[in-house]
Every structure is written in C-alpha cells, then in structure tokens.
PDB file of all heavy atoms in Angstrom:
ATOM      1  N   TYR A   1       0.812  -1.191   0.002  1.00 96.00           N
ATOM      2  CA  TYR A   1      -0.043  -0.003   0.024  1.00 96.00           C
ATOM      3  C   TYR A   1       0.856   1.222   0.006  1.00 96.00           C
ATOM      4  O   TYR A   1       0.623   2.184  -0.793  1.00 96.00           O
ATOM      5  CB  TYR A   1      -0.898   0.055   1.176  1.00 96.00           C
ATOM      6  CG  TYR A   1      -2.234  -0.652   0.989  1.00 96.00           C
ATOM      7  CD1 TYR A   1      -2.549  -1.870   1.621  1.00 96.00           C
ATOM      8  CD2 TYR A   1      -3.206  -0.034   0.227  1.00 96.00           C
ATOM      9  CE1 TYR A   1      -3.744  -2.510   1.472  1.00 96.00           C
ATOM     10  CE2 TYR A   1      -4.428  -0.722   0.051  1.00 96.00           C
ATOM     11  CZ  TYR A   1      -4.683  -1.943   0.629  1.00 96.00           C
ATOM     12  OH  TYR A   1      -5.942  -2.524   0.435  1.00 96.00           O
ATOM     13  N   GLU A   2       1.878   1.251   0.871  1.00 95.00           N
ATOM     14  CA  GLU A   2       2.663   2.464   1.067  1.00 95.00           C
ATOM     15  C   GLU A   2       3.592   2.725  -0.206  1.00 95.00           C
ATOM     16  O   GLU A   2       3.848   3.903  -0.526  1.00 95.00           O
ATOM     17  CB  GLU A   2       3.527   2.306   2.303  1.00 95.00           C
ATOM     18  CG  GLU A   2       2.697   2.361   3.594  1.00 95.00           C
ATOM     19  CD  GLU A   2       3.460   2.099   4.829  1.00 95.00           C
ATOM     20  OE1 GLU A   2       4.706   1.626   4.682  1.00 95.00           O
ATOM     21  OE2 GLU A   2       3.003   2.385   5.949  1.00 95.00           O
ATOM     22  N   GLN A   3       4.147   1.673  -0.736  1.00 96.00           N
ATOM     23  CA  GLN A   3       5.096   1.885  -1.816  1.00 96.00           C
ATOM     24  C   GLN A   3       4.577   1.897  -3.228  1.00 96.00           C
ATOM     25  O   GLN A   3       5.131   2.423  -4.159  1.00 96.00           O
ATOM     26  CB  GLN A   3       6.211   0.823  -1.660  1.00 96.00           C
ATOM     27  CG  GLN A   3       7.042   0.978  -0.391  1.00 96.00           C
ATOM     28  CD  GLN A   3       8.171  -0.067  -0.351  1.00 96.00           C
ATOM     29  OE1 GLN A   3       8.304  -0.941  -1.258  1.00 96.00           O
ATOM     30  NE2 GLN A   3       8.990   0.000   0.673  1.00 96.00           N
ATOM     31  N   ASN A   4       3.415   1.175  -3.419  1.00 96.00           N
ATOM     32  CA  ASN A   4       2.887   0.999  -4.735  1.00 96.00           C
ATOM     33  C   ASN A   4       1.462   1.562  -4.951  1.00 96.00           C
ATOM     34  O   ASN A   4       1.216   2.375  -5.782  1.00 96.00           O
ATOM     35  CB  ASN A   4       2.890  -0.513  -5.134  1.00 96.00           C
ATOM     36  CG  ASN A   4       4.297  -1.023  -5.120  1.00 96.00           C
ATOM     37  OD1 ASN A   4       5.232  -0.422  -5.604  1.00 96.00           O
ATOM     38  ND2 ASN A   4       4.502  -2.212  -4.480  1.00 96.00           N
ATOM     39  N   ILE A   5       0.558   1.057  -4.162  1.00 96.00           N
ATOM     40  CA  ILE A   5      -0.918   1.334  -4.410  1.00 96.00           C
ATOM     41  C   ILE A   5      -1.149   2.849  -4.142  1.00 96.00           C
ATOM     42  O   ILE A   5      -1.719   3.511  -4.985  1.00 96.00           O
ATOM     43  CB  ILE A   5      -1.780   0.434  -3.480  1.00 96.00           C
ATOM     44  CG1 ILE A   5      -1.621  -1.018  -3.812  1.00 96.00           C
ATOM     45  CG2 ILE A   5      -3.262   0.879  -3.660  1.00 96.00           C
ATOM     46  CD1 ILE A   5      -2.325  -1.976  -2.938  1.00 96.00           C
ATOM     47  N   ILE A   6      -0.778   3.359  -2.929  1.00 95.00           N
ATOM     48  CA  ILE A   6      -1.119   4.755  -2.614  1.00 95.00           C
ATOM     49  C   ILE A   6      -0.393   5.701  -3.565  1.00 95.00           C
ATOM     50  O   ILE A   6      -1.008   6.685  -4.052  1.00 95.00           O
ATOM     51  CB  ILE A   6      -0.822   5.046  -1.157  1.00 95.00           C
ATOM     52  CG1 ILE A   6      -1.751   4.284  -0.262  1.00 95.00           C
ATOM     53  CG2 ILE A   6      -0.860   6.496  -0.845  1.00 95.00           C
ATOM     54  CD1 ILE A   6      -1.518   4.382   1.221  1.00 95.00           C
ATOM     55  N   PRO A   7       0.924   5.528  -3.868  1.00 96.00           N
ATOM     56  CA  PRO A   7       1.575   6.419  -4.844  1.00 96.00           C
ATOM     57  C   PRO A   7       0.871   6.386  -6.220  1.00 96.00           C
ATOM     58  O   PRO A   7       0.797   7.446  -6.820  1.00 96.00           O
ATOM     59  CB  PRO A   7       3.023   5.843  -4.909  1.00 96.00           C
ATOM     60  CG  PRO A   7       3.237   5.271  -3.558  1.00 96.00           C
ATOM     61  CD  PRO A   7       1.904   4.658  -3.244  1.00 96.00           C
ATOM     62  N   ALA A   8       0.479   5.204  -6.693  1.00 96.00           N
ATOM     63  CA  ALA A   8      -0.190   5.100  -7.975  1.00 96.00           C
ATOM     64  C   ALA A   8      -1.509   5.889  -7.974  1.00 96.00           C
ATOM     65  O   ALA A   8      -1.845   6.629  -8.902  1.00 96.00           O
ATOM     66  CB  ALA A   8      -0.417   3.652  -8.296  1.00 96.00           C
ATOM     67  N   LEU A   9      -2.316   5.748  -6.817  1.00 95.00           N
ATOM     68  CA  LEU A   9      -3.571   6.483  -6.760  1.00 95.00           C
ATOM     69  C   LEU A   9      -3.350   7.981  -6.612  1.00 95.00           C
ATOM     70  O   LEU A   9      -4.164   8.771  -7.066  1.00 95.00           O
ATOM     71  CB  LEU A   9      -4.391   5.910  -5.606  1.00 95.00           C
ATOM     72  CG  LEU A   9      -4.898   4.451  -5.801  1.00 95.00           C
ATOM     73  CD1 LEU A   9      -5.640   3.941  -4.547  1.00 95.00           C
ATOM     74  CD2 LEU A   9      -5.932   4.469  -6.981  1.00 95.00           C
ATOM     75  N   GLN A  10      -2.209   8.312  -5.905  1.00 94.00           N
ATOM     76  CA  GLN A  10      -1.933   9.802  -5.842  1.00 94.00           C
ATOM     77  C   GLN A  10      -1.641  10.376  -7.258  1.00 94.00           C
ATOM     78  O   GLN A  10      -2.056  11.465  -7.557  1.00 94.00           O
ATOM     79  CB  GLN A  10      -0.677   9.927  -4.919  1.00 94.00           C
ATOM     80  CG  GLN A  10      -0.975   9.862  -3.503  1.00 94.00           C
ATOM     81  CD  GLN A  10       0.256   9.942  -2.647  1.00 94.00           C
ATOM     82  OE1 GLN A  10       1.307   9.607  -3.045  1.00 94.00           O
ATOM     83  NE2 GLN A  10       0.079  10.493  -1.458  1.00 94.00           N
ATOM     84  N   ASN A  11      -0.915   9.553  -8.018  1.00 94.00           N
ATOM     85  CA  ASN A  11      -0.656  10.007  -9.404  1.00 94.00           C
ATOM     86  C   ASN A  11      -1.929  10.079 -10.208  1.00 94.00           C
ATOM     87  O   ASN A  11      -2.108  10.978 -11.084  1.00 94.00           O
ATOM     88  CB  ASN A  11       0.348   9.065 -10.059  1.00 94.00           C
ATOM     89  CG  ASN A  11       1.679   9.238  -9.483  1.00 94.00           C
ATOM     90  OD1 ASN A  11       2.089  10.272  -8.993  1.00 94.00           O
ATOM     91  ND2 ASN A  11       2.485   8.120  -9.511  1.00 94.00           N
ATOM     92  N   THR A  12      -2.854   9.125  -9.993  1.00 94.00           N
ATOM     93  CA  THR A  12      -4.149   9.120 -10.685  1.00 94.00           C
ATOM     94  C   THR A  12      -4.907  10.357 -10.310  1.00 94.00           C
ATOM     95  O   THR A  12      -5.511  11.026 -11.179  1.00 94.00           O
ATOM     96  CB  THR A  12      -4.979   7.906 -10.261  1.00 94.00           C
ATOM     97  OG1 THR A  12      -4.222   6.746 -10.661  1.00 94.00           O
ATOM     98  CG2 THR A  12      -6.308   7.904 -11.030  1.00 94.00           C
ATOM     99  N   TYR A  13      -4.925  10.706  -9.000  1.00 92.00           N
ATOM    100  CA  TYR A  13      -5.638  11.888  -8.556  1.00 92.00           C
ATOM    101  C   TYR A  13      -4.984  13.171  -9.152  1.00 92.00           C
ATOM    102  O   TYR A  13      -5.693  14.083  -9.621  1.00 92.00           O
ATOM    103  CB  TYR A  13      -5.642  11.959  -7.070  1.00 92.00           C
ATOM    104  CG  TYR A  13      -5.872  13.306  -6.455  1.00 92.00           C
ATOM    105  CD1 TYR A  13      -7.120  13.979  -6.601  1.00 92.00           C
ATOM    106  CD2 TYR A  13      -4.836  14.028  -5.816  1.00 92.00           C
ATOM    107  CE1 TYR A  13      -7.319  15.247  -6.120  1.00 92.00           C
ATOM    108  CE2 TYR A  13      -5.043  15.255  -5.348  1.00 92.00           C
ATOM    109  CZ  TYR A  13      -6.274  15.882  -5.471  1.00 92.00           C
ATOM    110  OH  TYR A  13      -6.453  17.167  -4.927  1.00 92.00           O
ATOM    111  N   LYS A  14      -3.662  13.246  -9.130  1.00 92.00           N
ATOM    112  CA  LYS A  14      -2.968  14.429  -9.656  1.00 92.00           C
ATOM    113  C   LYS A  14      -3.228  14.605 -11.107  1.00 92.00           C
ATOM    114  O   LYS A  14      -3.394  15.750 -11.617  1.00 92.00           O
ATOM    115  CB  LYS A  14      -1.479  14.318  -9.358  1.00 92.00           C
ATOM    116  CG  LYS A  14      -1.150  14.463  -7.869  1.00 92.00           C
ATOM    117  CD  LYS A  14       0.365  14.248  -7.645  1.00 92.00           C
ATOM    118  CE  LYS A  14       0.718  14.387  -6.148  1.00 92.00           C
ATOM    119  NZ  LYS A  14       2.147  14.164  -5.912  1.00 92.00           N
ATOM    120  N   THR A  15      -3.253  13.487 -11.879  1.00 93.00           N
ATOM    121  CA  THR A  15      -3.494  13.522 -13.299  1.00 93.00           C
ATOM    122  C   THR A  15      -4.911  14.030 -13.576  1.00 93.00           C
ATOM    123  O   THR A  15      -5.099  14.902 -14.441  1.00 93.00           O
ATOM    124  CB  THR A  15      -3.282  12.170 -13.933  1.00 93.00           C
ATOM    125  OG1 THR A  15      -1.940  11.683 -13.654  1.00 93.00           O
ATOM    126  CG2 THR A  15      -3.515  12.225 -15.455  1.00 93.00           C
ATOM    127  N   ALA A  16      -5.871  13.525 -12.808  1.00 92.00           N
ATOM    128  CA  ALA A  16      -7.286  13.925 -12.980  1.00 92.00           C
ATOM    129  C   ALA A  16      -7.442  15.388 -12.657  1.00 92.00           C
ATOM    130  O   ALA A  16      -8.171  16.157 -13.308  1.00 92.00           O
ATOM    131  CB  ALA A  16      -8.226  13.047 -12.168  1.00 92.00           C
ATOM    132  N   LEU A  17      -6.782  15.796 -11.591  1.00 90.00           N
ATOM    133  CA  LEU A  17      -6.850  17.176 -11.124  1.00 90.00           C
ATOM    134  C   LEU A  17      -6.224  18.186 -12.186  1.00 90.00           C
ATOM    135  O   LEU A  17      -6.768  19.201 -12.454  1.00 90.00           O
ATOM    136  CB  LEU A  17      -6.151  17.414  -9.788  1.00 90.00           C
ATOM    137  CG  LEU A  17      -6.195  18.770  -9.157  1.00 90.00           C
ATOM    138  CD1 LEU A  17      -7.639  19.297  -8.978  1.00 90.00           C
ATOM    139  CD2 LEU A  17      -5.405  18.848  -7.894  1.00 90.00           C
ATOM    140  N   GLN A  18      -5.076  17.739 -12.723  1.00 91.00           N
ATOM    141  CA  GLN A  18      -4.428  18.525 -13.727  1.00 91.00           C
ATOM    142  C   GLN A  18      -5.263  18.699 -14.992  1.00 91.00           C
ATOM    143  O   GLN A  18      -5.443  19.728 -15.536  1.00 91.00           O
ATOM    144  CB  GLN A  18      -3.076  17.930 -14.101  1.00 91.00           C
ATOM    145  CG  GLN A  18      -2.220  18.741 -15.060  1.00 91.00           C
ATOM    146  CD  GLN A  18      -0.829  18.143 -15.275  1.00 91.00           C
ATOM    147  OE1 GLN A  18      -0.624  16.983 -14.917  1.00 91.00           O
ATOM    148  NE2 GLN A  18       0.037  18.862 -15.922  1.00 91.00           N
ATOM    149  N   SER A  19      -5.914  17.560 -15.374  1.00 90.00           N
ATOM    150  CA  SER A  19      -6.805  17.586 -16.503  1.00 90.00           C
ATOM    151  C   SER A  19      -8.004  18.515 -16.306  1.00 90.00           C
ATOM    152  O   SER A  19      -8.436  19.286 -17.140  1.00 90.00           O
ATOM    153  CB  SER A  19      -7.243  16.229 -16.864  1.00 90.00           C
ATOM    154  OG  SER A  19      -6.197  15.341 -17.215  1.00 90.00           O
ATOM    155  N   TYR A  20      -8.478  18.461 -15.021  1.00 86.00           N
ATOM    156  CA  TYR A  20      -9.652  19.274 -14.697  1.00 86.00           C
ATOM    157  C   TYR A  20      -9.273  20.764 -14.723  1.00 86.00           C
ATOM    158  O   TYR A  20     -10.062  21.570 -15.190  1.00 86.00           O
ATOM    159  CB  TYR A  20     -10.144  18.864 -13.264  1.00 86.00           C
ATOM    160  CG  TYR A  20     -11.352  19.645 -12.824  1.00 86.00           C
ATOM    161  CD1 TYR A  20     -12.602  19.484 -13.456  1.00 86.00           C
ATOM    162  CD2 TYR A  20     -11.302  20.537 -11.775  1.00 86.00           C
ATOM    163  CE1 TYR A  20     -13.721  20.194 -13.051  1.00 86.00           C
ATOM    164  CE2 TYR A  20     -12.391  21.245 -11.376  1.00 86.00           C
ATOM    165  CZ  TYR A  20     -13.615  21.022 -11.958  1.00 86.00           C
ATOM    166  OH  TYR A  20     -14.726  21.757 -11.576  1.00 86.00           O
ATOM    167  N   GLU A  21      -8.057  21.096 -14.211  1.00 86.00           N
ATOM    168  CA  GLU A  21      -7.671  22.433 -14.175  1.00 86.00           C
ATOM    169  C   GLU A  21      -7.385  22.992 -15.597  1.00 86.00           C
ATOM    170  O   GLU A  21      -7.505  24.174 -15.839  1.00 86.00           O
ATOM    171  CB  GLU A  21      -6.408  22.599 -13.303  1.00 86.00           C
ATOM    172  CG  GLU A  21      -6.662  22.419 -11.845  1.00 86.00           C
ATOM    173  CD  GLU A  21      -5.399  22.415 -11.054  1.00 86.00           C
ATOM    174  OE1 GLU A  21      -4.293  22.284 -11.625  1.00 86.00           O
ATOM    175  OE2 GLU A  21      -5.487  22.552  -9.741  1.00 86.00           O
ATOM    176  N   GLN A  22      -7.091  22.074 -16.508  1.00 86.00           N
ATOM    177  CA  GLN A  22      -6.788  22.465 -17.909  1.00 86.00           C
ATOM    178  C   GLN A  22      -8.010  22.328 -18.742  1.00 86.00           C
ATOM    179  O   GLN A  22      -7.963  22.419 -20.015  1.00 86.00           O
ATOM    180  CB  GLN A  22      -5.637  21.608 -18.454  1.00 86.00           C
ATOM    181  CG  GLN A  22      -4.302  21.817 -17.799  1.00 86.00           C
ATOM    182  CD  GLN A  22      -3.238  20.826 -18.277  1.00 86.00           C
ATOM    183  OE1 GLN A  22      -3.538  19.916 -19.057  1.00 86.00           O
ATOM    184  NE2 GLN A  22      -2.013  21.088 -17.834  1.00 86.00           N
ATOM    185  N   ASN A  23      -9.185  22.036 -18.069  1.00 84.00           N
ATOM    186  CA  ASN A  23     -10.499  21.966 -18.773  1.00 84.00           C
ATOM    187  C   ASN A  23     -10.533  20.812 -19.718  1.00 84.00           C
ATOM    188  O   ASN A  23     -11.327  20.828 -20.688  1.00 84.00           O
ATOM    189  CB  ASN A  23     -10.824  23.287 -19.488  1.00 84.00           C
ATOM    190  CG  ASN A  23     -11.002  24.474 -18.546  1.00 84.00           C
ATOM    191  OD1 ASN A  23     -11.537  24.282 -17.436  1.00 84.00           O
ATOM    192  ND2 ASN A  23     -10.505  25.614 -18.946  1.00 84.00           N
ATOM    193  N   THR A  24      -9.753  19.822 -19.545  1.00 83.00           N
ATOM    194  CA  THR A  24      -9.780  18.595 -20.385  1.00 83.00           C
ATOM    195  C   THR A  24     -10.303  17.389 -19.604  1.00 83.00           C
ATOM    196  O   THR A  24     -10.470  16.322 -20.193  1.00 83.00           O
ATOM    197  CB  THR A  24      -8.340  18.196 -20.908  1.00 83.00           C
ATOM    198  OG1 THR A  24      -7.503  18.007 -19.808  1.00 83.00           O
ATOM    199  CG2 THR A  24      -7.824  19.351 -21.784  1.00 83.00           C
ATOM    200  N   GLY A  25     -10.622  17.575 -18.341  1.00 84.00           N
ATOM    201  CA  GLY A  25     -11.194  16.533 -17.495  1.00 84.00           C
ATOM    202  C   GLY A  25     -12.460  17.027 -16.836  1.00 84.00           C
ATOM    203  O   GLY A  25     -12.921  18.174 -17.027  1.00 84.00           O
ATOM    204  N   ASP A  26     -13.085  16.131 -16.035  1.00 89.00           N
ATOM    205  CA  ASP A  26     -14.276  16.570 -15.338  1.00 89.00           C
ATOM    206  C   ASP A  26     -14.158  16.329 -13.876  1.00 89.00           C
ATOM    207  O   ASP A  26     -13.241  15.618 -13.411  1.00 89.00           O
ATOM    208  CB  ASP A  26     -15.546  15.812 -15.919  1.00 89.00           C
ATOM    209  CG  ASP A  26     -15.311  14.292 -15.856  1.00 89.00           C
ATOM    210  OD1 ASP A  26     -14.294  13.847 -15.288  1.00 89.00           O
ATOM    211  OD2 ASP A  26     -16.164  13.576 -16.401  1.00 89.00           O
ATOM    212  N   LEU A  27     -15.082  16.935 -13.112  1.00 88.00           N
ATOM    213  CA  LEU A  27     -15.058  16.880 -11.648  1.00 88.00           C
ATOM    214  C   LEU A  27     -15.259  15.422 -11.143  1.00 88.00           C
ATOM    215  O   LEU A  27     -14.620  15.010 -10.219  1.00 88.00           O
ATOM    216  CB  LEU A  27     -16.148  17.811 -11.073  1.00 88.00           C
ATOM    217  CG  LEU A  27     -16.191  17.915  -9.551  1.00 88.00           C
ATOM    218  CD1 LEU A  27     -14.848  18.356  -9.000  1.00 88.00           C
ATOM    219  CD2 LEU A  27     -17.287  18.865  -9.125  1.00 88.00           C
ATOM    220  N   PRO A  28     -16.184  14.613 -11.706  1.00 90.00           N
ATOM    221  CA  PRO A  28     -16.392  13.271 -11.226  1.00 90.00           C
ATOM    222  C   PRO A  28     -15.078  12.426 -11.272  1.00 90.00           C
ATOM    223  O   PRO A  28     -14.868  11.568 -10.350  1.00 90.00           O
ATOM    224  CB  PRO A  28     -17.480  12.640 -12.130  1.00 90.00           C
ATOM    225  CG  PRO A  28     -18.244  13.852 -12.595  1.00 90.00           C
ATOM    226  CD  PRO A  28     -17.251  14.951 -12.724  1.00 90.00           C
ATOM    227  N   SER A  29     -14.224  12.629 -12.206  1.00 91.00           N
ATOM    228  CA  SER A  29     -12.962  11.903 -12.265  1.00 91.00           C
ATOM    229  C   SER A  29     -12.097  12.352 -11.099  1.00 91.00           C
ATOM    230  O   SER A  29     -11.425  11.472 -10.483  1.00 91.00           O
ATOM    231  CB  SER A  29     -12.248  12.214 -13.584  1.00 91.00           C
ATOM    232  OG  SER A  29     -13.046  11.735 -14.683  1.00 91.00           O
ATOM    233  N   VAL A  30     -12.088  13.652 -10.757  1.00 90.00           N
ATOM    234  CA  VAL A  30     -11.277  14.100  -9.638  1.00 90.00           C
ATOM    235  C   VAL A  30     -11.809  13.521  -8.354  1.00 90.00           C
ATOM    236  O   VAL A  30     -11.073  13.045  -7.489  1.00 90.00           O
ATOM    237  CB  VAL A  30     -11.213  15.616  -9.600  1.00 90.00           C
ATOM    238  CG1 VAL A  30     -10.435  16.125  -8.371  1.00 90.00           C
ATOM    239  CG2 VAL A  30     -10.673  16.208 -10.886  1.00 90.00           C
ATOM    240  N   LEU A  31     -13.155  13.562  -8.222  1.00 91.00           N
ATOM    241  CA  LEU A  31     -13.821  13.049  -7.036  1.00 91.00           C
ATOM    242  C   LEU A  31     -13.544  11.554  -6.853  1.00 91.00           C
ATOM    243  O   LEU A  31     -13.307  11.050  -5.745  1.00 91.00           O
ATOM    244  CB  LEU A  31     -15.253  13.298  -7.036  1.00 91.00           C
ATOM    245  CG  LEU A  31     -15.740  14.783  -6.988  1.00 91.00           C
ATOM    246  CD1 LEU A  31     -17.238  14.834  -7.080  1.00 91.00           C
ATOM    247  CD2 LEU A  31     -15.228  15.463  -5.692  1.00 91.00           C
ATOM    248  N   ALA A  32     -13.592  10.804  -7.961  1.00 91.00           N
ATOM    249  CA  ALA A  32     -13.288   9.422  -7.910  1.00 91.00           C
ATOM    250  C   ALA A  32     -11.872   9.115  -7.491  1.00 91.00           C
ATOM    251  O   ALA A  32     -11.513   8.211  -6.705  1.00 91.00           O
ATOM    252  CB  ALA A  32     -13.582   8.729  -9.290  1.00 91.00           C
ATOM    253  N   GLY A  33     -10.866  10.007  -7.967  1.00 92.00           N
ATOM    254  CA  GLY A  33      -9.525   9.849  -7.559  1.00 92.00           C
ATOM    255  C   GLY A  33      -9.362  10.140  -6.102  1.00 92.00           C
ATOM    256  O   GLY A  33      -8.585   9.427  -5.392  1.00 92.00           O
ATOM    257  N   ILE A  34     -10.018  11.154  -5.546  1.00 92.00           N
ATOM    258  CA  ILE A  34      -9.963  11.446  -4.131  1.00 92.00           C
ATOM    259  C   ILE A  34     -10.531  10.288  -3.325  1.00 92.00           C
ATOM    260  O   ILE A  34      -9.989   9.838  -2.338  1.00 92.00           O
ATOM    261  CB  ILE A  34     -10.715  12.761  -3.785  1.00 92.00           C
ATOM    262  CG1 ILE A  34     -10.008  13.969  -4.443  1.00 92.00           C
ATOM    263  CG2 ILE A  34     -10.790  12.979  -2.269  1.00 92.00           C
ATOM    264  CD1 ILE A  34     -10.748  15.239  -4.286  1.00 92.00           C
ATOM    265  N   LYS A  35     -11.645   9.727  -3.782  1.00 91.00           N
ATOM    266  CA  LYS A  35     -12.321   8.647  -3.004  1.00 91.00           C
ATOM    267  C   LYS A  35     -11.499   7.425  -3.036  1.00 91.00           C
ATOM    268  O   LYS A  35     -11.316   6.735  -2.028  1.00 91.00           O
ATOM    269  CB  LYS A  35     -13.685   8.377  -3.641  1.00 91.00           C
ATOM    270  CG  LYS A  35     -14.552   7.442  -2.902  1.00 91.00           C
ATOM    271  CD  LYS A  35     -15.963   7.300  -3.462  1.00 91.00           C
ATOM    272  CE  LYS A  35     -16.825   6.375  -2.637  1.00 91.00           C
ATOM    273  NZ  LYS A  35     -18.205   6.312  -3.199  1.00 91.00           N
ATOM    274  N   ASP A  36     -10.890   7.041  -4.200  1.00 93.00           N
ATOM    275  CA  ASP A  36     -10.039   5.884  -4.245  1.00 93.00           C
ATOM    276  C   ASP A  36      -8.794   6.039  -3.377  1.00 93.00           C
ATOM    277  O   ASP A  36      -8.348   5.119  -2.772  1.00 93.00           O
ATOM    278  CB  ASP A  36      -9.606   5.637  -5.735  1.00 93.00           C
ATOM    279  CG  ASP A  36     -10.811   5.226  -6.590  1.00 93.00           C
ATOM    280  OD1 ASP A  36     -11.816   4.782  -6.023  1.00 93.00           O
ATOM    281  OD2 ASP A  36     -10.702   5.286  -7.855  1.00 93.00           O
ATOM    282  N   LEU A  37      -8.229   7.236  -3.392  1.00 93.00           N
ATOM    283  CA  LEU A  37      -7.021   7.550  -2.553  1.00 93.00           C
ATOM    284  C   LEU A  37      -7.395   7.452  -1.136  1.00 93.00           C
ATOM    285  O   LEU A  37      -6.631   6.855  -0.296  1.00 93.00           O
ATOM    286  CB  LEU A  37      -6.501   8.935  -2.905  1.00 93.00           C
ATOM    287  CG  LEU A  37      -5.201   9.308  -2.174  1.00 93.00           C
ATOM    288  CD1 LEU A  37      -4.043   8.355  -2.470  1.00 93.00           C
ATOM    289  CD2 LEU A  37      -4.785  10.688  -2.571  1.00 93.00           C
ATOM    290  N   GLN A  38      -8.530   7.950  -0.744  1.00 94.00           N
ATOM    291  CA  GLN A  38      -8.983   7.838   0.650  1.00 94.00           C
ATOM    292  C   GLN A  38      -9.181   6.416   1.093  1.00 94.00           C
ATOM    293  O   GLN A  38      -8.751   5.977   2.158  1.00 94.00           O
ATOM    294  CB  GLN A  38     -10.299   8.660   0.892  1.00 94.00           C
ATOM    295  CG  GLN A  38     -10.927   8.378   2.261  1.00 94.00           C
ATOM    296  CD  GLN A  38     -12.351   8.897   2.341  1.00 94.00           C
ATOM    297  OE1 GLN A  38     -12.818   9.626   1.384  1.00 94.00           O
ATOM    298  NE2 GLN A  38     -13.088   8.508   3.331  1.00 94.00           N
ATOM    299  N   ALA A  39      -9.818   5.629   0.211  1.00 94.00           N
ATOM    300  CA  ALA A  39     -10.124   4.205   0.484  1.00 94.00           C
ATOM    301  C   ALA A  39      -8.811   3.434   0.715  1.00 94.00           C
ATOM    302  O   ALA A  39      -8.701   2.648   1.658  1.00 94.00           O
ATOM    303  CB  ALA A  39     -10.966   3.636  -0.579  1.00 94.00           C
ATOM    304  N   ALA A  40      -7.823   3.758  -0.140  1.00 96.00           N
ATOM    305  CA  ALA A  40      -6.552   2.986  -0.056  1.00 96.00           C
ATOM    306  C   ALA A  40      -5.833   3.372   1.211  1.00 96.00           C
ATOM    307  O   ALA A  40      -5.270   2.504   1.882  1.00 96.00           O
ATOM    308  CB  ALA A  40      -5.679   3.356  -1.260  1.00 96.00           C
TER     309      ALA A  40
END
C-alpha cells in the first residue's frame, strides 16, 4: 500500500486534477480519484 498502491492512486488523482484544471477533464474523475485515494 505504502510503496505502490497509494503512490499510484496519488498520481491518478494528480493527473485527474491537472486535466480538470486544464479543462480537459471533469469533476467526477477528480472526486473518484480522491475517493479511491482515501479508501486506499
């Protein structure tokens, strides 16, 4: 979890947030990234 799963989900969240800030992504993707990161 500490070395693989959580870092991967952090990158997923950061990618979704970056896309959202650049208007190429949507809010549900960011929320899903936050939720998955929280769950992990």
Side-chain angles (χ1 to χ4, degrees):
Y1 270 110
E2 293 175 343
Q3 296 184 356
N4 300 314
I5 298 175
I6 292 177
L9 290 174
Q10 283 176 330
N11 291 331
T12 301
Y13 159 70
K14 290 177 181 178
T15 302
L17 180 61
Q18 185 177 11
S19 299
Y20 181 67
E21 290 175 344
Q22 295 174 355
N23 296 322
T24 58
D26 55 7
L27 183 59
S29 297
V30 179
L31 295 178
I34 294 175
K35 189 174 183 178
D36 291 342
L37 183 58
Q38 172 194 346

